[in-house]
């Protein structure tokens, strides 16, 4: 039996080690930890090879309130 526990897409830590957030992208489910959520938001291309299609994502537009 293989371990299929959710792990952070970026660092591979599981929910026993860090809080994980679930995300859906291109019909698949993935997880990212709270430490690496800023990468998903600001530099998603760093997830290329870890999250299929991430290389096509651009960073969030900077806005000022």
């Amino acid at each position: 039996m293989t371990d299929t526990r959710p792990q952070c897409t970026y660092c591979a830590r599981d929910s026993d080690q860090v809080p994980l957030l679930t995300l859906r992208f291109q019909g698949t489910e993935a997880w990212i930890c709270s430490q690496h959520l800023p990468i998903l938001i600001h530099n998603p291309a760093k997830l290329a090879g870890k999250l299929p299609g991430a290389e096509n994502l651009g960073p969030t537009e900077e806005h000022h309130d």
Side-chain angles (χ1 to χ4, degrees):
M1 182 180 285
T2 60
D3 187 7
T4 57
R5 294 173 54 114
Q7 297 179 336
C8 175
T9 299
Y10 193 78
C11 68
R13 292 182 293 174
D14 65 26
S15 63
D16 288 340
Q17 299 168 297
V18 294
L20 292 176
L21 300 167
T22 305
L23 63 104
R24 294 199 56 81
F25 182 61
Q26 295 184 342
T28 62
E29 188 172 69
W31 297 268
I32 195 150
C33 72
S34 55
Q35 180 180 353
H36 293 111
L37 182 59
I39 290 174
L40 178 64
I41 296 167
H42 300 290
N43 198 353
K46 282 189 173 183
L47 294 170
K50 298 174 185 265
L51 181 65
E55 63 277 359
N56 299 320
L57 295 173
T60 186
E61 294 292 321
E62 201 165 320
H63 59 83
H64 303 281
D65 291 331

